[in-house]
Amino acid sequence: MQPHTPRRFYLITYPRTGSNLLVRMLGLANQPHMRAGDDRGGYIFLPVVKLITDLGLRKKEVTDWTEEEIMQVRCSYQECFAEFQEYLDKASADGCSVFIKEHVHFLIDPTTLSLFTFGNSAGDTTRPSWMVQYLPESYEGKASGTRSPLNETVLSDEFLRSWQPTFLIRHPALAFPSLYRALLELEGTGNPHEDEQLGQHCMTLRWTRNLYGWYMREGNCVDDRTAWPIVLDADDIMTDPGLVSDYCQLLGMDPSRVSCSWMPASKEQRSHMNMFTKRYLSTLLSSGGIVTDKIAGRVNIEMEAEKWCEEFGERVGRRLERLVREAMPDYEFLKARRWKAGRHVQRDALMPALI
């Protein structure tokens, strides 16, 4: 038997794409030589997101953050990254690969998110630098990272290059309303004018497409058969379990450990979960397998928008419709490049569309 060569796999998602389902199907906890983070399967920078929310900074432009608030957020990023690096070093020392998932907006520089949300009205939003520091010299021999202009994340180019990324997508007409529904329940204030803006910074595929484009320009190809990054669509995962088995094998894992059914979570198990975990994993926790009514299929956005207006009110419904329609070009672009078992991705043929 050949020795295992440790590799790093990053599953980059946005909310309500079915990432928890994919992780469950892959059976990561039972895969030899594979580490998959804590019980969340990743979300390395979730503490930063929680801090920003608790401080009320999501409603403020970065230029309006105080020096104390900036310091708190920067320290949180750095602490999360340091803990992450320790985890990676331990996995490497043990000869194990890692499979980590992260919502893409968790990685995006706060200044970039602020510009997207509020526009350029605040003037100079070029400071501060949010890139995490103190990279070990193992990243291309550099003790501190560099970040190219097209890299919108808080991570250095050198660190990003050390991963083989998969981008998980789902039709915005299913993902965005589902996210708004959860946010309204968990973070809603009861003020319609405040609540209608919930999720503004992450109801977009801009971050996904841009980071995908960055990796494509890097030419991050891991072998002769498959070019990375890879794109997976939630519909394919739910309708073709064989695709998940092939993807599992592509990652060097045991496809016989892929599962399409499981025991629903017990009342006892749920009692130890916080309200966010129970809400965002509600379908997975209550099901015993793939729930087919979550499949997008052919979506009529106009008809769906009428349902959103009825459920959330006219203003929110129309806002969701606008965000979905704005996201569709990026979704269709990525969907056209989604991975299929046995498919060889012709990188050179795709490059013109990225320029």
Side-chain angles (χ1 to χ4, degrees), residues 80 111 119 151 180 192 209 331 336:
C80 289
T111 298
N151 178 1
Y180 182 79
R209 180 170 176 174
Y331 172 71

Side-chain angles (χ1 to χ4, degrees), residues 82-285:
E83 185 177 338
F84 189 23
Q85 188 60 61
E86 288 181 9
Y87 180 85
L88 296 175
D89 289 344
K90 178 64 166 59
S92 179
D94 293 341
C96 292
S97 294
V98 292
F99 185 98
I100 298 293
K101 69 174 179 176
E102 193 86 83
H103 285 330
V104 66
H105 67 279
F106 287 11
L107 302 176
I108 301 300
D109 183 306
T111 298
T112 302
L113 288 174
S114 182
L115 283 168
F116 174 78
T117 303
F118 300 104
N120 202 22
S121 60
D124 179 17
T125 55
T126 60
R127 65 173 187 87
S129 172
W130 295 97
M131 188 180 72
V132 291
Q133 299 294 319
Y134 312 117
L135 293 177
E137 293 188 6
S138 57
Y139 295 107
E140 303 181 11
K142 298 181 180 180
S144 62
T146 57
R147 193 173 69 166
S148 58
L150 296 175
N151 178 1
E152 298 177 315
T153 76
V154 298
L155 303 172
S156 72
D157 292 351
E158 293 81 7
F159 185 77
L160 288 176
R161 290 189 194 110
S162 71
W163 295 83
Q164 277 75 59
T166 297
F167 291 87
L168 179 61
I169 61 173
R170 188 186 185 200
H171 198 297
L174 273 73
F176 293 2
S178 178
L179 173 61
Y180 182 79
R181 199 173 289 116
L183 290 174
L184 192 63
E185 180 179 325
L186 295 170
E187 301 179 20
T189 65
N191 183 327
H193 294 292
E194 288 189 26
D195 291 344
E196 71 180 28
Q197 298 301 318
L198 288 171
Q200 176 74 23
H201 62 291
C202 54
M203 289 190 194
T204 177
L205 270 71
R206 170 178 176 168
W207 317 126
T208 304
R209 180 170 176 174
N210 286 355
L211 188 53
Y212 172 85
W214 184 89
Y215 270 110
M216 288 294 287
R217 291 182 181 92
E218 288 292 307
N220 188 27
C221 185
V222 72
D223 55 42
D224 293 334
R225 179 173 171 270
T226 303
W228 301 77
I230 282 175
V231 176
L232 294 179
D233 188 278
D235 267 20
D236 293 334
I237 292 169
M238 290 185 278
T239 59
D240 185 6
L243 180 76
V244 178
S245 294
D246 290 336
Y247 175 67
C248 183
Q249 190 168 6
L250 181 69
L251 271 56
M253 299 191 297
D254 183 357
S256 69
R257 299 175 188 264
V258 169
S259 177
C260 294
S261 61
W262 45 83
M263 290 294 295
S266 66
K267 186 176 181 180
E268 172 66 18
Q269 289 172 320
R270 290 170 183 256
S271 68
H272 297 292
M273 300 176 184
N274 61 48
M275 62 179 182
F276 293 94
T277 300
K278 286 189 285 189
R279 179 60 183 84
Y280 284 113
L281 272 67
S282 58
T283 300
L284 189 63
L285 293 174

Side-chain angles (χ1 to χ4, degrees), residues 61-98:
E61 300 180 52
V62 167
T63 49
D64 292 332
W65 294 9
T66 67
E67 291 299 323
E68 173 66 21
E69 290 167 341
I70 290 173
M71 183 184 71
Q72 285 183 268
V73 174
R74 291 183 69 181
C75 286
S76 184
Y77 271 120
Q78 195 62 55
E79 289 169 1
C80 289
F81 182 74
E83 185 177 338
F84 189 23
Q85 188 60 61
E86 288 181 9
Y87 180 85
L88 296 175
D89 289 344
K90 178 64 166 59
S92 179
D94 293 341
C96 292
S97 294
V98 292

